[in-house]
Amino acid sequence: MQPQEVGDFFAEIKNALDSNWSDEALKSLSKHTVPEVVSGNHGWLLRGDLSTMWGRWFIESLVDLAPYELNTELSIGHLHVPILAYFNSVSPQVPLDERQKYARVLTRFAWQLVTARRGRKRSAIGLALREELWAVAQPEPRCYLCGYQFGDHARDRFLVGATEMPPAPPLVDFTRPRGMRAAQLCVEVDHVVPVAEGGATAVDNLRLACGWCNSVKNRYTNIYDTIPWSAGILSHPALGPVTRPQPLWVLRTVATRRRCEFAAGCTARIEGAELFAGPRNQGGALTPVNVAVYCEQHDPWHLDRWIGPKRLAAGLAN
């Protein structure tokens, strides 16, 4: 790490903030490459999600997809016309066959967004499909997003329609408070590719998820889909004031990394163990650049993570 590089970068950030929406200050900041240390060990995740978001914005800057979403008589051929026109206008010197090739790539991407938005409805998850998903998840059915192992009550509700809810846990993880409501402990079926993005209700696109992860994941596919700031401050009984991370930050990091990141090495994977979000730098908040993934054995917060639901609710209210 080069301290001067980091210092110069933050001087530019301060200048941009102090300049109160100055375009010149932001242009100057944009010329700086973000130092590797600033993006953290999961910089690839932040950059990948950012590229995906920019790609969608770019597509919809070329053509507003709203008419295609509402008018089912419009086809992919209609959508191809304005996209090809864009390439023709900005790159007339490129051979026509190459312009057509690149336009088709963007058209297929845009059309996937259109078909997903045309109100595809969720198909019912019948008993036979639930049983198949449960069988695929053996020998230890777990939430595919965090590794939480389902209990007997959750299994019975999922497979035989039992009415009894899973018992409330005496303690919950303050970074991922599964169990504040009983439904968060139940088995739910998640579409890996969301229905809103065109995902099918088929075994290869379905996974078992706990109620907490499924509700946080929702239709989101990107760490930037949430509010880009913390969720407030928790008055922790042992740690003191702690910045609460956005739930999607925790879920996206754990579900994407899928392994314990203990520095000395660990074999724990999400397929066989529940994984937790903890700080890489112990003095820092759980921001996306400081979240690390740990198994129970190597969790730096293993003594402080678990809090009684009532006490946690009271702390969140402060």
Side-chain angles (χ1 to χ4, degrees):
M1 180 186 74
Q2 297 296 327
Q4 180 179 351
E5 181 185 14
V6 176
D8 290 346
F9 177 68
F10 276 92
E12 289 288 348
I13 291 179
K14 184 177 185 304
N15 181 48
L17 294 175
D18 292 345
S19 299
N20 192 24
W21 294 53
S22 163
D23 61 341
E24 291 302 322
L26 288 173
K27 287 176 182 177
S28 179
L29 175 60
S30 70
K31 295 176 183 178
H32 279 254
T33 301
V34 179
E36 196 67 29
V37 67
V38 172
S39 60
N41 286 50
H42 297 149
W44 51 269
L45 169 60
L46 303 181
R47 289 188 294 271
D49 275 357
L50 184 60
S51 296
T52 299
M53 182 173 66
W54 279 2
R56 293 186 180 188
W57 286 348
F58 177 70
I59 285 288
E60 297 199 56
S61 75
L62 302 184
V63 53
D64 190 340
L65 300 182
Y68 297 87
E69 177 182 347
L70 298 177
N71 185 355
T72 56
E73 293 184 1
L74 293 176
S75 68
I76 189 171
H78 295 98
L79 183 58
H80 182 69
V81 173
I83 293 178
L84 178 58
Y86 165 77
F87 282 103
N88 290 338
S89 66
V90 299
S91 304
Q93 73 282 2
V94 175
L96 177 60
D97 62 319
E98 293 186 13
R99 279 179 269 149
Q100 292 173 330
K101 174 185 175 181
Y102 302 140
R104 284 194 295 269
V105 172
L106 270 67
T107 299
R108 286 194 292 268
F109 181 88
W111 188 248
Q112 182 177 345
L113 298 177
V114 170
T115 54
R117 295 176 185 180
R118 282 184 172 177
R120 289 189 176 182
K121 297 180 180 179
R122 291 177 180 268
S123 301
I125 310 293
L127 177 59
L129 187 51
R130 293 199 302 273
E131 289 178 339
E132 184 175 359
L133 291 169
W134 189 262
V136 169
Q138 296 298 323
E140 294 181 347
R142 295 175 177 271
C143 172
Y144 88 106
L145 294 166
C146 71
Y148 172 72
Q149 186 172 359
F150 298 113
D152 293 342
H153 288 85
R155 176 201 61 201
D156 292 345
R157 282 185 61 85
F158 185 65
L159 294 177
V160 300
T163 58
E164 186 175 357
M165 296 291 283
L171 300 172
V172 296
D173 173 3
F174 76 87
T175 73
R176 183 176 53 208
R178 180 196 301 107
M180 297 290 282
R181 294 185 292 106
Q184 296 172 342
L185 303 168
C186 292
V187 185
E188 296 184 2
V189 177
D190 180 57
H191 289 72
V192 179
V193 178
V195 173
E197 298 292 335
T201 303
V203 171
D204 60 355
N205 189 47
L206 299 176
R207 300 290 187 276
L208 302 182
C210 69
W212 189 89
C213 285
N214 199 31
S215 65
V216 171
K217 178 177 180 284
N218 200 333
R219 60 179 178 81
Y220 302 132
T221 59
N222 190 304
I223 202 167
Y224 301 104
D225 282 338
T226 189
I227 300 172
W229 199 245
S230 73
I233 297 175
L234 166 68
S235 297
H236 192 284
L239 299 174
V242 177
T243 298
R244 295 165 51 207
Q246 288 289 349
L248 190 61
W249 295 350
V250 171
L251 177 62
R252 179 73 170 151
T253 305
V254 171
T256 303
R257 197 65 181 102
R258 306 184 71 78
R259 59 157 298 168
C260 177
E261 297 181 303
F262 182 58
C266 179
T267 60
R269 300 292 188 275
I270 206 167
E271 291 77 14
E274 183 172 358
L275 300 179
F276 304 91
R280 193 176 301 278
N281 170 27
Q282 299 299 308
L286 281 187
T287 66
V289 300
N290 193 41
V291 173
V293 182
Y294 300 102
C295 67
E296 184 176 16
Q297 178 183 354
H298 297 122
D299 178 14
W301 276 347
H302 70 282
L303 296 177
D304 304 310
R305 178 176 301 280
W306 305 99
I307 302 179
K310 291 183 179 179
R311 189 166 191 175
L312 177 58
L316 297 179
N318 292 335

